[in-house]
Amino acid sequence: MKRPGYFGSVVEAVRTTAEGLSITLAQYFRRPTTVQYPDRTAVPVRESLPSRYRGFLEVDLATCTACKACERDCPIDVIRIDVEKRDEGRVMSRFDIDLGKCMYCGICVESCPVEVRAEGEAEPQKVIRFTREFEGATTAFPTLTFRFIKPGEAAPPYKPPKKAEAAELPPSPARGEIARRVRAEARVENPPAFAAALAQTLADRDESLPRLLAPEVLAARARELAAKVDGDFPSALVAEALARTDCEACGWPSCGDYARAIASGADAQTWKCLPGAAKATRDVALLVQLRRGASPERAAAAAADLVRMHHRADGSPKTALALPAPIASTSSSTGGGQ
Amino acid sequence: MSEIVIDRGDGDEVVLNMGPQHPSTHGVIRFVIRTDGEIMKEAIPDVGYLHRAIEHIAEKCTYEGFMPYTDRVDYVCAMTANHAWALAVEKLGALPVPERAEYLRVITDELNRISSHAIALGAMAMDLGATTPFMLILREREFVNELIEELCGARLTYNYHRVGGVGWDLPAGWRDKVLRWCDHFVPVIDEYQRLIAENALFVRRLANMAVITAEEAVGYGLVGPNLRASGVDFDVRRDLPYSVYPKLKFEVPVGRGAMGTVGDAWDRYAVRIDEWRQSVALVRQALDLVAGTPPEFLSTPKKLKPTGEAFARVEAARGQMSCYVVGDGGANAYRARFRTGSFNAMQIIRAKSRGLMVADLVALIASLDVVAPEIDR
Amino acid sequence: MRMRAAFALVLAAAACGGGDVAVQLPATRAPIRDARPTRLHAGETLTVEGRGGPFTAGATTQVILPGLRGFKGGPMILPARAVGPDRVLATYDSAVFRYTGSSVVEVEQRLPDGTTKRLSSDPRAPFAFELAPRDVATAALLAERALPSLPGWLVGALTLLLVAAIVSLPIPVLAGLIVTWERKISAAMQSRIGPNRVGPRGWLQWLADGVKLLLKEDVIPTAADARLFRAAPYLAFLGLFLTFIVLPFSRTLIVADLDVGVLFLVSVTSLVVVGILVGGWASNSKWSLLGGMRSAAQIISYELPASMALLTLVVTTGSLRTQAIVAAQGAAPWDWFLFRTPFTLVAFVIWFIAALAEGNRTPFDLPEAESELVAGFFTEYSGFRFSLYPLVEWVNLAVIGAVGTALFLGGWRVPFVTPEMMATSWLWDLLGFFVFALKDVAIIFLVIWIRWTLPRFRVDQMMSLCWRYAVPWSMACVLGTLAWVWLVPSGVDQAARIALFALVGVGGGAWFALRVRANARAYSDLVLNEKLGGGRP
């Protein structure tokens, strides 16, 4: 296309600029379309959402048959249902949905086999269904796990009536009531509960020497590893025992290199894994001993000695191992920076 | 993170790092720019910051369960990604799809195309300094979001299409709402053109800039509006038709070099504006035709454990999106592979950046409409 | 110290050739009946303006004030010149005089043919000098008289500080109000609401933002040049603040009506460039440096067309003083310099574009292009130092508006109110200030409006616009105005002004209003979610 000349471009510039200005001025006098959430809306936003809106999930346990279809079909594994056998029969002891991780895809809703008639809804709903609740902003992740069965309680599964008797769908509370209640409970009860659970997990993973080298633990581990050591000694087995962080504290460029060195005998110092600490030393020592043909008991004793020689009681190394200096760039990489 | 090696031969050269956080890379993309201050010698893209191993996740999920993940392959135009996966799995398992579902798929695809182009065009204007067109067109996109929210409950990651159909049927009154919105939107397109697309400053920034010839476009594997803007008349909906597109009448806009050269950045802008109009026409036609279909919208396969391999393509907003799936008889796919338009567009940025200014680089990236989720998956 | 004796020489009756001139003087100013010798300091001027006549241009003219005893006791005689058939301008550069109580003013002209024409004022009319503290030196002199015990230099310094405080304290408030207004305008143009929570309808948002920035950590990059980094914003602020000295906010509200007002204005705004360059350099960041370099190139290039556009006005008025330029305009739109000649109209457009470029406003905001350089030359700044650069930018809007108003839009001239009426009562003066503020605000709106409509230029396009369009066209404007003022007879000139106003002002405005209406009609409001509805401020 012929480009406008010297004067033509001036005329074009003036014309199109004036046109643009007239459009923005016309916009200036229109009413804005933004809505001021949360306090200056005509109705609460929750009520203005369409009925199919995919907000928080809720479960009406009164009608849940504990078929676990939703747990099975969830592509992201956010639903956790525990079914126990108690004196009164099968009961659900846990029905948690982690709504922080959930991607609100709706597959769980589609896979639920039980339909119910929820109050105020024209269409039949499912037992697990979306609500129009969406306000979950929080500073603590645990509050996003909705626990529909409180810890310690149990919910019996629903037994749907036979086909012949089923004239109507079972009733269900209005959508959102259960979610609101559970959300409020989660906000209050979850953080301390999860904090306690975390403390317990950390205690279980205690890696101090008394725990690592307790006779039963050590013997069990020795037997476990003995089953895996078989003739040829793949370095992968050793690598599994190491921390696998490639931190180079041991002096080798990667964990794989250190593992191969141990496996081939090139490096006899098997206690150098800094992040792995006493646990890595114990496991590697067990593997080396088992490789040499020692029995699990002999290997356990030798490993215990080695660990005590090189680690303190809390699991930290006796000789200070420092991380080496970062490798200077050999090539002029994306330097300059900003 | 990759190592980019540059030999510092030229003393006048300045190496700039743009990204991965930057106001105008479209997502987390990093560019290493070698420039002499204003004119670039090279802009090297560094991708991978948004890699989420979606294709690997496909091997861990069932075929149906993977559908929400396809939303995230291109979250700006999620419906077409859904469609690609549904098509591929249906081909793999030779599954039937009800006609009503096909029309619903087309309606939602085209609505999503409109909202995706709204983001592309608005972001391009904003990258060049004009914030108002972006805000105004986002207001229109809000309407589309509201419509789809009423249809399927979500505004961005829809999970609407299913293997074997779609997830929900039309709600009552939705058809009229969409038609009302179409009537409202067509004058907005004209206003948008007057506001920014034909603005002399805007045209001067884009005309004759980063011209991509037809040979280059085909050679670098560009697809979609980028390809068509360079003069290559190819559209998957018309030339390799799928779904009910053979029953619908629409034109395929091709770059004409109206303000400069064929294949310049302005052509890529204009082609998307013309595609808006075509999408509105398609939505209207599909809404008319869907009324006459029987009400079944989903035929769920009983047991989905297919074997074999299948390849399907759709015309997403950013061009052809292909999906290749291999089944080995299990409930999960053995391999899923998505090929997206933005990934190829990254290569041409490096080639075209020589001689451009830094400000032009921003315009080039925006004109190619690259989005990070599509590049990295 | 400037003493302005404002008087009007009014034609008494239909006069042949000479005729009497009558003097009507503002009577409300208390006359100075001070017989002590009063000194005009060196370098200052005493200006006498007279209207009446007919005066012959080109004749040797002098104004005689017998009521002032001048050098060596004789009547004070001032060299003067006729700047029109009905105007005489007399200046004097330093004098000592005494007031003797007489109220006679005489204008004597020696015509080229050798004859002398003498016009005398009516002795019965009162004649008063005004000595109002309109500038710092006058105020200092008054203060010196009032406090004779303090040394003169101290009084002068204190006065300077006081005036500086009075002028500079409102500047942050002004910046804050402008930025809040800009946010509300941009919001309205983008179908949003803008700030509306802090203060009544959001008008205290600037205060909250300012306090927040003050409380932020002061981060200086390790490798940055700390002294320059700290100093740079203040250099920019200095360049901006100095322009307030010559802005005529009303007939009497001007800090100092410098003789070189326009020149001072143009030269002092280029101090901002130093601040920007130093800021960009001292940040030790490539992006900042790029932004600083771009900005320097831009501002320095656009100094030229800006100055030349203002030169057209100087040429029309014959004076660099801002008050003189305002006084040379009238209150009606067709008397503004905007419509004075077609060349001044083009000069206004060029000056406006150049002012946008100097202020780093879109479409010339490459130095701070958010989408490219994060924030350009002030990327590394945070906290209070950061707030200074945008403060400079926003107050610059007010300065652009003030300069445009004063020089092109008639300044503080109010319709149906003459400057003499203004001299009588401070209420008229205040009205003049309000009119000035109104016009200033209109220009600010225009600048903001343009910012939120247009995309930005690229560096080379911006340079090309300057050197290929703005500079030659502004030169042409200067020449054209010169030719116009020289050649075009006054009747045609008057008719042309009104025609230009009708064509461009009224006609253009009407066309634009029609486009706005067409665009407003083309858009149909749509509400899909009736329950939520639309925006409610």
Side-chain angles (χ1 to χ4, degrees), chain C residues 472-489:
Chain C
W473 285 41
S474 58
M475 284 184 186
C477 284
V478 174
L479 294 174
T481 313
L482 276 169
W484 184 285
V485 165
W486 179 36
L487 292 174
V488 172

Side-chain angles (χ1 to χ4, degrees), chain B residues 4 22 57 96 115 134 169 204 247 277 283 289 295 353 363-364 369 373 376:
Chain B
I4 295 180
H22 193 94
I57 290 176
S115 69
F134 180 65
D169 200 357
R204 277 193 86 179
K247 299 194 187 149
R277 297 196 172 93
V283 168
L289 292 171
S353 57
L364 171 62
D369 193 12
D376 299 332

Side-chain angles (χ1 to χ4, degrees), chain A residues 7-79:
Chain A
F7 287 101
S9 53
V10 173
V11 169
E12 270 306 294
V14 171
R15 188 184 66 83
T16 54
T17 305
E19 185 66 36
L21 288 175
S22 70
I23 293 179
T24 40
L25 195 64
Q27 285 289 341
Y28 180 75
F29 293 110
R30 284 187 201 135
R31 220 172 55 137
T33 44
T34 45
V35 169
Q36 291 191 68
Y37 170 84
D39 55 341
R40 296 185 194 175
T41 53
V43 302
V45 174
R46 184 180 66 226
E47 289 165 32
S48 72
L49 295 169
S51 109
R52 292 182 189 174
Y53 182 76
R54 310 213 290 250
F56 291 148
L57 290 163
E58 72 174 4
V59 182
D60 181 13
L61 284 164
T63 45
C64 175
T65 57
C67 68
K68 292 211 191 185
C70 53
E71 186 188 30
R72 210 174 42 232
D73 286 346
C74 176
I76 210 169
D77 294 334
V78 298
I79 304 180

Side-chain angles (χ1 to χ4, degrees), chain A residues 234-244 255-260 284 287:
Chain A
S235 63
L237 217 48
V238 179
E240 261 182 46
L242 298 173
R244 283 181 286 182
C255 292
D257 291 327
Y258 187 36
R260 277 189 284 279
V284 170
L287 284 167

